[in-house]
Amino acid sequence: MSEGLPPRTVSYKFPKVPDFTDPDYDKSNPAHFVNARDQRVREYFVGYAYMLRLQESLRTCYLQNGINAKRVCHEQGAEYMRRLSCPNYTCPEDAGYLEPAPLVNYRISDPDPSLEMNWQNNKIPGMEQ
């Protein structure tokens, strides 16, 4: 009597959630941020795994074909280079593509003018002797 693995209890299909660049994304809701971040991480790992598979098939193709590898494996190499140049290894024409997240621009507020050094006298306000 052989017992197999227990049935899978976790679904590997995740619902599509609003991304950072979608108009439905609510910036004030922390759950939206966590879901969007997790979705981006999953998409990155899918792209990374695809690149590993593509590398392995390209390596195998080169080893099998020897001198004719450049001619025979050209399409795989072109696909690899195309994906390598795209962010997160997924290009806009691929299924599951997500726009790169906008960079957060932290603006440093203008310094307090009362703290500026008086360069003529080399004195800092509040530090007079």
Side-chain angles (χ1 to χ4, degrees):
M1 180 172 137
S2 71
E3 294 183 24
L5 295 173
R8 183 181 293 164
T9 57
V10 177
S11 172
Y12 288 108
K13 295 188 178 187
F14 295 95
K16 177 90 170 121
V17 296
D19 192 53
F20 298 114
T21 56
D22 292 343
D24 298 337
Y25 177 71
D26 182 13
K27 294 180 181 177
S28 63
N29 188 347
H32 281 214
F33 172 78
V34 171
N35 289 337
R37 182 195 62 197
D38 290 348
Q39 178 173 282
R40 280 193 176 266
V41 169
R42 283 191 299 270
E43 290 295 328
Y44 173 76
F45 279 119
V46 166
Y48 182 75
Y50 187 81
M51 288 296 284
L52 288 178
R53 199 177 95 209
L54 200 54
Q55 281 178 348
E56 186 60 33
S57 72
L58 191 59
R59 185 178 298 118
T60 304
C61 183
Y62 265 78
L63 290 174
Q64 286 176 348
N65 293 300
I67 192 115
N68 297 324
K70 285 189 177 182
R71 181 177 48 82
V72 175
C73 307
H74 175 73
E75 292 172 1
Q76 290 175 351
E79 173 68 11
Y80 179 77
M81 292 306 292
R82 182 184 72 84
R83 283 187 170 264
L84 193 60
S85 66
C86 297
N88 296 336
Y89 309 123
T90 40
C91 297
E93 55 272 6
D94 299 333
Y97 174 74
L98 294 173
E99 284 287 327
L103 297 175
V104 177
N105 187 7
Y106 293 105
R107 182 176 173 270
I108 299 173
S109 62
D110 295 328
D112 187 3
S114 66
L115 298 177
E116 288 185 19
M117 185 173 186
N118 186 346
W119 293 103
Q120 287 80 17
N121 300 332
N122 287 335
K123 292 184 180 176
I124 300 174
M127 298 290 289
E128 289 88 15
Q129 296 175 344

